[in-house]
Amino acid sequence: MKKRFLSTGLCLAMTVSLLFGCGSSDSSEEGTTDQEKDSYKVGYATKTLSGGYFVKLDEGLKAGCEDLGWEYISMNADRDADTERANLEAMVSQGCDLIFLNCVDPDSAVANVQYCVDNGVPVIAVDGGCSEDADLITTVYSDNKQNGREVGLAYAEHMKDTDIKALMISGSKGDVAGYERRMGLFCGIIEGKSGMSEEDAWKAADAIEQELIDNGKAQNEEAHFYVLGQGWSNWSEDGGLQAAEDLITANTDITTILGENDDMVIGAGVAVDNANLENVDLVAAADGSQRAYDLIKEGKYFATGENSPVLVGNLALDIAQQVLVDGKTKEDFERVTMTSAVAVTKDNVDERYDYGF
């Protein structure tokens, strides 16, 4: 998958001054082009506002647009594809110059995006990607694979020569983000503990994944890394608790809970406590929730990957400025644009805290 890393630390105030500078033209110039507007109307069509991540992304986009002097409207589809279509049609009819989209369904979103583009409204996908046929400027989200890898590398350094005997708590079968996150964890742990190259570690992670599918458990002897079982928990804290309870019954000799998001790992941590297991590390490939950050500060949680709605929103706004103000098109961006990967541990949790949700 192609990707492009852009700076997420741009100063929006400086951009505002540039925008208003573009809005003032010499009286001798003929007419006014779209790029000379001093304000824009931007829409955000989100699949849901249920959950801290989605709320903070919406709030961040709104605040960023207000800082730029742009009008902002947000519409929630409540995970209904037909409602999403109606919301997008409403945004187009209300004169939006650009739309951010966190789609309900990647496939049905293709026609929805095309409707916007056919009516002259460019679309930037945020957080969730649409199918490859969608005519987007780009898709902006966190780097699931490299976030997982960075966490895995940090944990490998922490464990050094000690065997890792882990339970893998996963979200839902077939989910691309979940797959990328656990593959990143596998890669980083194997790379860090064995000393092999990143390229070889990704191949070894593939082998772990296939062995899990075939046998329900897997290992890499070179890295002293053992996955004793995998549970599916539908991304929830309660699901993580239940999955871990079932796995712990058959596997009490564990060092580690690995998971694909913070909620599941936090739930699995409750199962560890209920079973009176000691010295079990909690390690998540994502999300960077402030609940997890608080536990990291307390020494009760080893690390999580930074899946920040603040940084995703900032990056999406940066690209929107380039499209609306500078006239750039999808040809100027890669299909996927990702925030930089960060493992949040006790060493950097304070500086990353406000990027959480």
Side-chain angles (χ1 to χ4, degrees):
M1 179 182 287
K2 295 200 303 189
K3 57 187 177 183
R4 180 186 183 195
F5 294 92
L6 296 178
S7 170
T8 59
L10 296 180
C11 178
L12 291 178
M14 291 177 63
T15 310
V16 172
S17 66
L18 290 173
L19 278 169
F20 286 108
C22 290
S24 60
S25 59
D26 188 269
S27 60
S28 63
E29 293 178 355
E30 297 182 6
T32 302
T33 66
D34 287 343
Q35 276 67 47
E36 291 172 327
K37 292 172 63 175
D38 62 4
S39 184
Y40 298 90
K41 187 172 187 176
V42 172
Y44 175 42
T46 180
K47 62 186 175 185
T48 182
L49 285 175
S50 176
Y53 181 96
F54 301 107
V55 171
K56 195 154 188 176
L57 178 56
D58 180 42
E59 291 174 347
L61 290 171
K62 179 181 179 181
C65 286
E66 290 175 350
D67 287 344
L68 291 164
W70 296 358
E71 184 178 351
Y72 178 81
I73 59 173
S74 174
M75 296 185 181
N76 178 14
D78 280 327
R79 297 190 182 276
D80 181 80
D82 291 335
T83 302
E84 177 180 284
R85 172 72 179 203
N87 289 346
L88 289 169
E89 289 177 352
M91 289 179 179
V92 169
S93 69
Q94 291 176 31
C96 283
D97 297 295
L98 180 143
I99 293 172
F100 297 115
L101 171 64
N102 191 351
C103 68
V104 172
D105 175 71
D107 294 327
S108 64
V110 174
N112 293 345
V113 170
Q114 195 61 51
Y115 171 82
C116 298
V117 173
D118 288 345
N119 283 276
V121 183
V123 179
I124 297 171
V126 292
D127 181 49
C130 305
S131 294
E132 291 188 9
D133 293 337
D135 190 11
L136 299 163
I137 296 295
T138 188
T139 298
V140 181
Y141 55 72
S142 302
D143 191 336
N144 287 313
K145 294 177 74 173
Q146 288 298 329
N147 265 338
R149 174 174 169 265
E150 290 295 331
V151 172
L153 286 169
Y155 190 56
E157 173 63 24
H158 171 72
M159 293 297 281
K160 299 187 184 298
D161 296 330
T162 303
D163 288 358
I164 295 176
K165 300 177 182 179
L167 300 178
M168 183 73 237
I169 309 300
S170 294
S172 55
K173 294 181 179 180
D175 184 89
V176 174
Y179 166 78
E180 291 179 341
R181 289 174 182 183
R182 68 176 174 270
M183 287 292 289
L185 285 172
F186 296 160
C187 174
I189 289 171
I190 294 169
E191 180 183 350
K193 282 182 61 64
S194 71
M196 68 177 64
S197 69
E198 180 182 348
E199 181 180 1
D200 287 341
W202 283 116
K203 293 176 182 177
D206 279 328
I208 289 278
E209 175 73 5
Q210 189 59 51
E211 194 174 348
L212 270 178
I213 292 170
D214 294 340
N215 304 321
K217 57 181 63 179
Q219 62 185 33
N220 183 286
E221 290 284 0
E222 189 174 354
H224 301 282
F225 175 42
Y226 307 89
V227 182
L228 304 182
Q230 181 178 25
W232 302 92
S233 54
N234 200 31
W235 303 104
S236 73
E237 185 173 342
D238 287 343
L241 169 61
Q242 182 62 57
E245 284 179 339
D246 293 342
L247 290 167
I248 287 171
T249 299
N251 303 280
T252 56
D253 183 24
I254 60 172
T255 62
T256 314
I257 297 290
L258 299 175
E260 294 163 15
N261 80 353
D262 288 326
D263 281 350
M264 294 187 294
V265 172
I266 289 171
V270 174
V272 169
D273 291 340
N274 291 344
N276 296 315
L277 301 183
E278 297 182 352
N279 301 316
V280 176
D281 295 318
L282 305 180
V283 183
D287 287 311
S289 71
Q290 289 179 342
R291 286 183 67 202
Y293 289 172
D294 289 337
L295 291 171
I296 289 172
K297 289 183 178 185
E298 295 172 19
K300 298 178 180 179
Y301 202 100
F302 178 76
T304 186
E306 184 175 71
N307 178 33
S308 169
V310 176
L311 297 178
V312 167
N314 287 350
L315 183 51
L317 282 165
D318 173 26
I319 294 169
Q321 293 170 57
Q322 294 181 58
V323 172
L324 294 176
V325 180
D326 302 329
K328 291 188 176 182
T329 69
K330 67 177 184 179
E331 305 304 324
D332 297 299
F333 302 96
E334 300 291 348
R335 187 173 61 83
V336 174
T337 308
M338 299 185 185
T339 58
S340 298
V342 177
V344 181
T345 68
K346 63 180 182 180
D347 295 328
N348 63 353
V349 64
D350 288 331
E351 67 187 67
R352 310 310 298 181
Y353 192 87
D354 288 341
Y355 295 128
F357 59 94

